Amino acid sequence: MVRPPGSTLTAEQWNDALLLWHYQQMGHTLRPCTVAIGLGTHDLGVAAEAANLYLRSFAPRIVFTGGRNASRPDAFPRGEATHFAEHAIALGVPESAILCEPNARNTGENITFSRDLLMDEGVEVRSVLLVSTPYMERRAYATCRKVWPEVDIVCASTRQGLSAYLVAVGDDRLVVDSMVGDVQRVIEYPKRGFAETQDVPEEVRDAYQRLATDGFNSRLIG
């Protein structure tokens, strides 16, 4: 996989970003689940993938979850869940198949508030199709395993490589900053009780540290 034309990343930064990109992807085999949960983010691709999975009968309903996006506060002024739901409807998902959770501010709240909403709706959830950005699958999985251990989890995201994703988003720094922040959370959040522990290979830790040192650090936690 090669850097896209016009990328601002050096060759070493690109190789490190690839390590983080591949590490975060769980490689789960898709199977039908009780519900799909589209996690709020800066990328409407999550809504598109959730719609795609619904239309292919992998889940009979979708929960979109998230308030205003912290990275791009002007992108979804009425909140991620609302804009994602509208995008899915435009792609052919019936409004009746969608629930919106508009208050979550982080991944733990995305999952907890979605769980509570489904409970209030009387939906007995046995399995969850967790739809996220490609570089967030593992963190989403680790979080869900911690806060909702009773359900089976299948992780899903758009099927594209890092090069195509950078072109689609159009902002190398935003993507790499987010990737670095997500790997840090995979490492640190289990210590805080927010997520289940995941194995993090040394080469991934080294790549994360190099990118953070290079200034890709706007999404790091203190």
Side-chain angles (χ1 to χ4, degrees):
M1 190 182 299
V2 296
R3 283 177 291 171
S7 173
T8 60
L9 303 177
T10 68
E12 184 180 51
Q13 289 166 350
W14 169 255
N15 289 334
D16 285 341
L18 275 177
L19 280 171
L20 304 193
W21 175 266
H22 290 303
Y23 168 70
Q24 284 278 12
Q25 294 178 34
M26 298 297 293
H28 288 171
T29 300
L30 294 177
R31 64 178 185 273
C33 293
T34 308
V35 64
I37 298 179
L39 301 178
T41 181
H42 60 82
D43 178 15
L44 272 177
V46 170
E49 183 61 19
N52 170 51
L53 294 169
Y54 170 86
L55 295 170
R56 293 167 60 197
S57 300
F58 281 104
R61 71 186 73 209
I62 306 170
V63 177
F64 288 115
T65 168
R68 293 187 69 187
N69 184 268
S71 299
R72 285 182 165 177
D74 297 328
F76 307 122
R78 288 174 290 115
E80 296 161 337
T82 299
H83 286 270
F84 281 25
E86 291 172 351
H87 190 58
I89 291 167
L91 294 173
V93 179
E95 186 175 355
S96 60
I98 296 174
L99 295 171
C100 282
E101 184 295 295
N103 300 312
R105 298 163 298 175
N106 55 57
T107 307
E109 290 184 353
N110 284 145
I111 296 166
T112 302
F113 294 174
S114 296
R115 179 197 63 196
D116 295 347
L117 174 60
L118 288 161
M119 186 179 299
D120 290 344
E121 292 288 325
V123 180
E124 183 180 354
V125 179
R126 297 184 178 181
S127 54
V128 171
L129 192 56
L130 206 54
V131 188
S132 69
T133 57
Y135 59 78
M136 190 185 165
E137 283 190 18
R138 186 175 297 276
R139 180 162 81 88
Y141 174 82
T143 304
C144 194
R145 287 289 302 152
K146 184 68 177 183
V147 303
W148 203 359
E150 302 85 3
V151 298
D152 291 329
I153 306 164
V154 179
C155 291
S157 61
T158 55
R159 303 290 179 134
Q160 61 188 145
L162 177 57
S163 181
Y165 188 82
L166 289 176
V167 171
V169 174
D171 189 335
D172 290 4
R173 179 159 294 277
L174 172 65
V175 173
V176 179
D177 277 6
S178 299
M179 291 169 64
V180 169
D182 277 4
V183 170
Q184 183 199 34
R185 285 161 175 77
V186 170
I187 296 169
E188 296 297 328
Y189 273 6
K191 304 172 190 176
R192 307 186 184 195
F194 299 157
E196 187 179 74
T197 299
Q198 300 288 294
D199 178 60
V200 185
E202 197 65 33
E203 63 178 1
V204 172
R205 290 177 183 267
D206 290 345
Y208 145 70
Q209 291 286 359
R210 284 192 296 267
L211 288 168
T213 299
D214 280 353
F216 296 96
N217 54 23
S218 71
R219 296 286 294 147
L220 293 181
I221 54 175

